[in-house]
Amino acid sequence: MDLTPSGALRRGICALTVAATVPYLTLKSLWLCGSTVGFAPGAEIADSGALWAGNLVTFVMDAVAVLLALALIRPWGRRIPSGLLLFPAWVGSGMLGALLLELPLVFGTELLFGTEPSIDAQSWLRPWVFAVVYGGFAVQGLTLLAGFGLHARERWAGLLADRIGDLPRTATLGLQRVLAVTAAGLAVPLAATRLYWALGGDLARPLRLTEGHRPARIIDAVTAALLLAACGAFLHVVLRRTPERPLAPALVTGWVAGGAVFAWGSWTVFAWLLTPEVPEQADVVPPAGQLAEAAQAGVGLLLLVLGALILIERAHAAADVQSAG
């Protein structure tokens, strides 16, 4: 099978990714132009600048997915500096990877237990909108992860073949360990809080999410698992307790789970900043809940810095070996 950048497999992956973004980008374009397509009958939507800005930001985010898909298959993509490619790929992998875990659980529980009455803040949308949007996200998640995996296997084959003990012991290793332990120290109580919410706890939750709302509780359970998986993977790498183990499993786990923690934590904080008006009483997040969401963004930021240090130090060590040889 041809796995080169011009190969049929990569072209197919890119085409599927682009095709999956078309419905979402079309819908967002219509909303940005003032259309009410997809709105439920009788829905009353305030003429909010925050809503328009949110639609613009999410349109740009999905447009970046198109550019990323092209970069992963075209020769010019390998000339893009690693950092410029890795950051959007990491955020996209985490955001869409979390959805790939959550969507089967949400739809599976609906098949088993039935659909809950609509109490969501977005009940003003027609049901087909969710099918189009999340169906597209699922396809994008699968294709972008596959495309990035092929790109990484070609561009960073040496890193993926390394053992944990092959990573360089540089002057920043102590800092890496401090960052990993700090992130884990924050992640454990955050994961416990998410599990408490997932099991039905309502303390520090918005009123809207205290009346059942099964999907939100599933998301909380998945987020708890991702927090623990991400920090566990990074601790495994920086503590070097099993240097003979292959690096790839921890790297992939830290990549997807850490990206999810960072992406969704940061998105929640960004959404708060984007909505300056006072929300409805049912949507008000208690201070403790706000602290938990902000702390998740903080954990994600620590993992971002830690991952960048690991990759930069490894790249410098590889360059030194090549120059010496």
Coordinates of all heavy atoms in Angstrom, one line a residue, residues 168-176 313:
P168 N 17.0 12.1 26.2 CA 18.2 12.6 26.9 C 18.0 13.1 28.3 O 16.9 13.6 28.6 CB 18.6 13.8 25.9 CG 17.3 14.2 25.3 CD 16.5 12.9 25.1
R169 N 19.0 12.9 29.1 CA 18.9 13.5 30.5 C 19.6 14.8 30.5 O 20.8 14.9 30.7 CB 19.6 12.5 31.5 CG 18.9 11.2 31.7 CD 19.6 10.3 32.7 NE 18.8 9.2 33.1 CZ 17.9 9.2 34.1 NH1 17.7 10.2 34.8 NH2 17.2 8.1 34.3
T170 N 18.8 15.8 30.2 CA 19.3 17.2 30.1 C 19.1 18.0 31.4 O 18.6 17.5 32.4 CB 18.6 17.9 29.0 OG1 17.2 18.0 29.3 CG2 18.7 17.1 27.7
A171 N 19.6 19.2 31.3 CA 19.5 20.1 32.5 C 18.1 20.4 32.9 O 17.8 20.8 34.1 CB 20.3 21.4 32.3
T172 N 17.1 20.2 32.0 CA 15.7 20.5 32.3 C 14.9 19.3 32.8 O 13.7 19.5 33.1 CB 15.0 21.1 31.0 OG1 14.9 20.0 30.1 CG2 15.7 22.2 30.4
L173 N 15.6 18.2 33.0 CA 14.9 17.0 33.4 C 14.3 17.2 34.8 O 13.1 16.8 35.1 CB 15.8 15.8 33.5 CG 15.1 14.5 33.9 CD1 14.0 14.1 33.0 CD2 16.2 13.3 33.9
G174 N 15.0 17.9 35.7 CA 14.4 18.2 37.0 C 13.2 19.1 36.9 O 12.2 18.9 37.6
L175 N 13.2 20.1 36.0 CA 12.0 21.0 35.8 C 10.9 20.1 35.2 O 9.7 20.3 35.6 CB 12.4 22.1 34.8 CG 11.3 23.0 34.4 CD1 10.6 23.7 35.6 CD2 11.8 24.1 33.4
Q176 N 11.2 19.2 34.3 CA 10.2 18.4 33.7 C 9.5 17.6 34.8 O 8.2 17.5 34.8 CB 10.8 17.5 32.7 CG 11.3 18.1 31.4 CD 12.0 17.2 30.5 OE1 11.8 16.0 30.5 NE2 13.0 17.7 29.7
E313 N 14.1 19.1 23.7 CA 15.3 18.5 24.2 C 15.7 17.3 23.4 O 16.9 17.1 23.0 CB 15.2 18.1 25.7 CG 15.0 19.3 26.6 CD 16.3 20.1 26.8 OE1 17.3 19.9 26.1 OE2 16.3 20.9 27.8

